[in-house]
Amino acid sequence: MLALVGVTVSATPAMASATGCALYGGNYGGYFIPGGQYCFSINGSGLTVNFTSGSFNGPVLYNWAESVRFYDTSNTNYATFNKPVTSGAAYGYHYWQLPIHGTARTGRVCGELKSSGSVVATVCHNIFS
């Protein structure tokens, strides 16, 4: 049983494409979520973003969603994209892509996996030209 709460992976460079993963599991908002793994990727080169993708693998996750947040070098959140909530229980492995494309600012991008509104894991990647 994992006792990690909202683990954040250190930012990794996204000179091209980057993928990072974080473990989750424990008590969130008064309910228990069994351990699992969330992975977040950005596809692109330099400041160009083609898309982002996410996945999770775990015994069960309820009412899950993802937020993708872009931050500049001053740590200002200048853009947020939300995957709609998938209601009910999700078992096993799930993968998705968000059609986020365009030019980002130098800074970082973070994917947040949510369950019933609570952030359970965050993965960030640096963005620079």
Side-chain angles (χ1 to χ4, degrees), residues 69-126:
R69 300 180 189 280
F70 287 83
Y71 298 89
D72 62 19
T73 55
S74 299
N75 204 33
T76 300
N77 177 206
Y78 66 88
T80 300
F81 300 88
N82 294 303
K83 182 186 180 316
V85 172
T86 300
S87 298
Y91 301 94
Y93 180 78
H94 294 268
Y95 171 85
W96 60 92
Q97 286 186 353
L98 292 182
I100 299 170
H101 49 77
T103 303
R105 299 178 193 169
T106 300
R108 64 189 168 99
V109 59
C110 297
E112 299 174 337
L113 179 65
K114 299 176 181 179
S115 177
S116 297
S118 295
V119 175
V120 298
T122 301
V123 176
C124 296
H125 302 293
N126 290 325

Side-chain angles (χ1 to χ4, degrees), residues 21 37-40 53-57 66 93-96 113:
C21 299
Q37 182 180 42
Y38 166 63
C39 295
F40 173 71
S53 61
S55 66
F56 69 84
N57 192 8
E66 181 188 54
Y93 180 78
H94 294 268
Y95 171 85
W96 60 92
L113 179 65

Side-chain angles (χ1 to χ4, degrees), residues 14-18 41-51:
M15 293 177 73
S17 298
S41 301
I42 183 170
N43 177 280
S45 180
L47 301 178
T48 301
V49 177
N50 299 320
F51 63 87

